[in-house]
Amino acid sequence: MINVYGVPGWGSAISEVMLTLADIPYRYINVEGFDSPGPQRVLLEKLNPLCQVPTLELENGAVMSETAAIGLMILDRCPDLAPPVGHPDRAQFQRLLIWLVANVYPTFTYADYPERWTSDAPDQLRENCMAYRKSLYLWLDNHLKAAPWAFGEQLTLIDVYIAVMRTWGPRHEWFAANTPHITAIADSVCQLPELHKVLKANDII
C-alpha cells in the first residue's frame, strides 16, 4: 500500500483526492508541524530531504514527490483520468498540469514564508505574490470549459487540482466573484459522493 505523508488541507490533499478518485489504496500519515524543527520534520526528512508534502512511499519502497509527477504515476494506473492519447485536449491537459505547478505553486512558496526570502519587506512580497496568483487564476479560468469539467464532459486530474486549490488564498469569495469556471468545476468535484470522505478530512467541504 502507498504511504502518503501530508498535512490536512495542504498540497498533499491533491494527491489524496487523486488517489481516491483512481481507487488506489493508500495509508495517510499526518506530519503536521514538519515545517518547524521537531519529530515530524525528522520523520519526513528521512524520506525527502526537501521536507515537502506530499511525499509518497510507494508499495516497493520507492519515494515519489511533486504532485504533477504523482499525477502522471496515477495516470499510468488509471489512464481514464486524462484525455486519451490523440484527443485534441490531451496536449492542453499536459500543459495545464505542468503550468499549475510551475506557475501557481511558486506563489505559495514565497508568500507562505516571506521572511525566508526577504528581511526588508515580507508583507510586500506576500502582497505581490497574491496579486500575481490572482492574475494566473484569471488566465486559467479563461482556458477552462467547465461543462461541467475543465475539459467538458470528461473528469480529469486537473479538476482535482482546481477543487483543492480553491480552498487556498485568495479563497472562495474571490473565486466566486472572479472565476466562474473554476468555481463551477470545484463545486462539481465537491459533489462527487466517492470523494466526500477525503474532502471532509482535508477541510475542503
Side-chain angles (χ1 to χ4, degrees):
M1 182 177 290
I2 294 173
N3 289 328
V4 176
Y5 293 81
V7 176
W10 286 47
S12 53
I14 293 174
S15 293
E16 280 197 86
V17 179
M18 290 193 299
L19 288 165
T20 302
L21 193 61
D23 199 25
I24 298 172
Y26 68 91
R27 180 184 300 108
Y28 179 72
I29 300 164
N30 190 338
V31 290
E32 189 168 4
F34 76 94
D35 52 342
S36 299
Q40 300 294 65
R41 186 173 184 85
V42 171
L43 174 64
L44 184 60
E45 200 168 25
K46 290 178 181 177
L47 290 172
N48 183 354
L50 293 178
C51 280
Q52 296 172 333
V53 295
T55 293
L56 274 57
E57 188 176 18
L58 304 182
E59 297 93 337
N60 63 1
V63 173
M64 172 70 77
S65 64
E66 313 304 331
T67 55
I70 293 165
L72 293 174
M73 177 198 73
I74 289 171
L75 289 177
D76 285 343
R77 307 188 189 194
C78 189
D80 290 345
L81 292 176
V85 175
H87 191 282
D89 287 334
R90 179 75 175 193
Q92 182 70 342
F93 172 87
Q94 294 168 329
R95 177 191 184 190
L96 292 183
L97 180 66
I98 303 305
W99 182 89
L100 285 164
V101 298
N103 291 279
V104 181
Y105 270 32
T107 69
F108 292 98
T109 299
Y110 298 113
D112 287 355
Y113 303 96
E115 66 281 355
R116 292 181 181 178
W117 315 106
T118 177
S119 58
D120 297 330
D123 290 340
Q124 188 63 57
L125 176 58
R126 183 183 290 111
E127 292 175 11
N128 291 349
C129 286
M130 178 60 79
Y132 182 54
R133 187 187 308 156
K134 289 177 179 178
S135 74
L136 293 172
Y137 282 136
L138 292 172
W139 179 92
L140 176 63
D141 199 67
N142 287 325
H143 289 76
L144 302 172
K145 294 181 181 178
W149 310 112
F151 294 97
E153 294 299 320
Q154 184 183 7
L155 173 65
T156 73
L157 296 184
I158 296 298
D159 301 300
V160 172
Y161 271 87
I162 289 169
V164 175
M165 294 175 78
R166 181 181 63 161
T167 66
W168 305 340
R171 303 202 183 271
H172 282 236
E173 288 187 6
W174 183 88
F175 285 110
N178 295 278
T179 57
H181 291 158
I182 288 174
T183 299
I185 290 165
D187 286 346
S188 294
V189 171
C190 290
Q191 292 168 10
L192 294 173
E194 63 268 33
L195 297 181
H196 281 182
K197 182 177 179 181
V198 67
L199 292 174
K200 287 180 180 178
N202 283 281
D203 296 320
I204 296 168
I205 59 173

